[in-house]
Amino acid sequence: MLCDDRPEYPMTGFFRLRFSGMLDREWVEAAIQKAIARHPILRSTVSKNAGRTHSWIECCASQIKPDHWVADSINDYPPASYFDLKESIGTRIWLVEREAVHDIVIQVHHACSDALGLCQLIEDFLLAYAQEAGELNDAPWEPLNNDCLSSRNCFGITIGKFLRMLPGLTLGLHVVFKFFCRKAQPLAPRFGGNPGKKVAAVFPSPQTFDFDSEETSEIRAVARRYGVTVNDLLARDLMLAIHSWRTAHGLANADDWIRFFVPVNQRSKDDSLRSASNIMSAVFLERTPRQMSDPENLLNSIHREMNAIKRSKLGFLFTAATMGLNRLPRFRKYVLYRDECASTCVFSNIGVILSRTPLPRRDEKIVMGDIVLEGIDFIAPLRPQTAAAFCVYTYAGRLSVNLHFDTTAISNCQADQLLGILVEQIRTSVRRKQAHHATVAVPQNQPG
């Protein structure tokens, strides 16, 4: 994540907390200080040591203070930019005023934390704010063991566990072979057709759609009827939506490889005691339009592949590959900066978030006095020729889909169309399975 960072495509993610009313600025600043103090990597810079290694240099939490920004009719997000971890800490925060309500927007370098780590920060901020507001006498902080942060890249693997994993990882080497031998197709070419050309981009550039609680329950029910996970179902529908969108724009070819970069959580039980950090790996999920002709077969194949990935722990191949690249800096630079599409899009499923936060609820939404946390947006970073990053998650019983798109390859109108096609595809999947289930459930009249 550190080496893949670049000014044109910052390796940073965002989240936005959408509140129902106006927050107290002093309480916000105090809550941020308390929350950030528990997460040292979020307030650290990077120092290069002798050789190829780097170290985190911890800074004081008081260095992180929220900037105030007023949203307008065009931009809900403050304009962000690249920041160098060698020069500054990897976290920025804004208090955003938007139509008589407040948002909290936080930009974090992906080397510092993944989305699940940021969920810890969100919960700590909410508890600290409730404490500042007098809603809690003592915030029920989860104990954190920051002494074990340096071992987070071991993922709880012992020599014995590694030896047991080795056969599955060896069989999974074909995944690495496919990555280098199959050329993934970009979602869309950059305007002007020159991937290396610098084009002014709006950053970040997200769109979010929130399903209501009833639709979310229906999506879960349909996944159960198919005998798959919600993640499998959404991955299938995203495949079909991307194919439909590319077809509509004259970009689809029957032999194109559509490749998803899929982050994989590598946390063990012990990692629940760690503060916000990046403890993830990744796998690649790829299909051609020919393989998408039968949606049900496509779903079953994705389900089988994802099960195989979990069973054989193939996510460790990506981790092993990055460790190997760190020993070969010239080859690492070639892999990261070669002028090819590594993945068509990012597909990240965070799952259900903030479900255990010990604060009162109203309609399943977290309440802090007279302020309600209405919704959350998670925005994943982009890479060159990976023009879209989809992040899905569930808060307060509602499934949300966030699309972060590259404005040098996709217009606002095209992004809106792409997200709309995905939403309609998900709804179509629900309607078809419900209709089939209803037909099967109704007994047919027998001849007399």
Side-chain angles (χ1 to χ4, degrees):
M1 297 298 182
L2 180 67
C3 296
D4 203 22
D5 196 16
R6 64 200 84 192
E8 300 84 32
Y9 291 91
M11 187 52 64
T12 59
F14 297 79
F15 68 82
R16 177 174 69 160
L17 306 179
R18 292 179 266 133
F19 294 96
S20 62
M22 304 292 282
L23 300 169
D24 184 283
R25 293 189 189 182
E26 292 185 2
W27 295 349
V28 166
E29 186 167 334
I32 287 172
Q33 301 299 318
K34 288 182 179 180
I36 289 291
R38 287 168 47 83
H39 302 278
I41 293 183
L42 298 184
R43 49 184 170 82
S44 296
T45 59
V46 168
S47 174
K48 189 171 183 178
N49 305 322
R52 305 187 186 105
T53 63
H54 294 79
S55 296
W56 292 106
I57 306 299
E58 189 175 338
C59 301
C60 180
S62 61
Q63 288 192 20
I64 302 180
K65 294 183 179 181
D67 294 320
H68 182 247
W69 188 78
V70 179
D72 54 36
S73 58
I74 299 175
N75 298 309
D76 282 340
Y77 287 82
S81 60
Y82 167 84
F83 51 82
D84 188 346
L85 277 179
K86 298 181 182 68
E87 302 293 333
S88 64
I89 56 179
T91 305
R92 289 176 179 166
I93 303 176
W94 292 267
L95 177 62
V96 177
E97 186 175 335
R98 177 176 54 84
E99 298 177 358
V101 298
H102 270 149
D103 298 337
I104 296 289
V105 174
I106 301 186
Q107 178 185 10
V108 176
H109 199 291
H110 215 345
C112 298
S113 180
D114 53 27
L116 289 176
L118 294 181
C119 287
Q120 293 178 294
L121 175 65
I122 293 172
E123 180 170 322
D124 287 349
F125 168 77
L126 296 174
L127 291 172
Y129 186 89
Q131 187 180 38
E132 291 295 320
E135 300 294 324
L136 295 173
N137 292 327
D138 293 306
W141 306 112
E142 289 286 340
L144 298 176
N145 180 10
N146 289 326
D147 293 336
C148 64
L149 280 173
S150 59
S151 63
R152 68 191 183 283
N153 63 332
C154 297
F155 306 110
I157 299 177
T158 62
I159 294 177
K161 287 182 179 179
F162 178 76
L163 291 176
R164 290 192 294 272
M165 290 165 50
L166 197 56
L169 293 178
T170 302
L171 291 173
L173 288 176
H174 73 283
V175 176
V176 179
F177 177 79
K178 290 190 299 183
F179 176 81
F180 285 101
C181 292
R182 293 175 178 172
K183 184 178 180 180
Q185 292 299 314
L187 182 65
R190 283 166 61 96
F191 300 136
N194 183 358
K197 182 181 179 182
K198 293 184 179 180
V199 182
V202 178
F203 183 77
S205 50
Q207 294 188 13
T208 300
F209 182 86
D210 301 317
F211 289 94
D212 61 33
S213 56
E214 182 178 350
E215 285 182 304
T216 300
S217 297
E218 290 172 349
I219 292 168
R220 290 173 177 167
V222 164
R224 286 194 299 269
R225 288 170 188 163
Y226 273 119
V228 302
T229 66
V230 172
N231 189 66
D232 297 334
L233 182 67
L234 296 178
R236 189 277 303 268
D237 288 346
L238 179 56
M239 283 271 187
L240 296 175
I242 284 179
H243 176 54
S244 296
W245 186 90
R246 296 184 80 241
T247 299
H249 289 83
L251 299 171
N253 186 295
D255 296 318
D256 288 345
W257 284 102
I258 304 301
R259 179 184 293 158
F260 290 3
F261 178 90
V262 184
V264 177
N265 178 28
Q266 298 291 73
R267 286 168 170 78
S268 64
K269 292 181 180 179
D270 294 337
D271 289 320
S272 62
L273 301 177
R274 288 189 172 100
S275 57
S277 54
N278 194 316
I279 311 178
M280 60 158 280
S281 188
V283 296
F284 294 95
L285 191 64
E286 53 187 12
R287 297 291 188 276
T288 66
R290 293 183 191 276
Q291 297 170 321
M292 302 180 200
S293 58
D294 186 329
E296 193 151 338
N297 282 344
L298 175 62
L299 177 60
N300 291 333
S301 72
I302 290 174
H303 176 64
R304 289 192 301 269
E305 184 171 348
M306 295 306 293
N307 275 347
I309 288 169
K310 295 172 187 175
R311 185 172 59 252
S312 301
K313 300 186 183 300
L314 295 183
F316 286 106
L317 285 175
F318 183 83
T319 304
T322 58
M323 289 180 175
L325 287 176
N326 283 340
R327 297 180 178 273
L328 301 167
R330 291 184 179 179
F331 185 59
R332 178 184 63 200
K333 184 175 182 180
Y334 163 75
V335 171
L336 293 178
Y337 287 86
R338 59 181 178 158
D339 187 19
E340 291 185 13
C341 173
S343 57
T344 308
C345 74
V346 175
F347 173 63
S348 177
N349 188 348
I350 304 173
V352 179
I353 61 174
L354 302 180
S355 60
R356 298 181 180 179
T357 303
L359 287 171
R361 307 266 175 165
R362 185 185 307 155
D363 297 328
E364 298 189 63
K365 298 174 182 177
I366 292 174
V367 178
M368 302 178 299
D370 59 348
I371 300 294
V372 178
L373 178 59
E374 295 290 346
I376 304 177
D377 302 313
F378 282 91
I379 305 171
L382 301 170
R383 295 190 74 255
Q385 300 200 60
T386 300
F390 293 86
C391 194
V392 299
Y393 42 92
T394 300
Y395 165 68
R398 302 181 63 176
L399 178 72
S400 297
V401 181
N402 180 276
L403 164 61
H404 187 200
F405 62 99
D406 184 352
T407 57
T408 69
I410 302 174
S411 67
N412 288 333
C413 181
Q414 289 172 330
D416 184 65
Q417 182 190 39
L418 175 58
L419 186 57
I421 290 174
L422 173 58
V423 170
E424 184 54 34
Q425 176 61 53
I426 295 171
R427 286 172 169 166
T428 298
S429 295
V430 170
R431 288 194 297 266
R432 285 177 177 171
K433 193 61 178 177
Q434 286 177 333
H436 175 74
H437 181 73
T439 301
V440 172
V442 176
Q444 302 296 317
N445 292 330
Q446 299 296 322

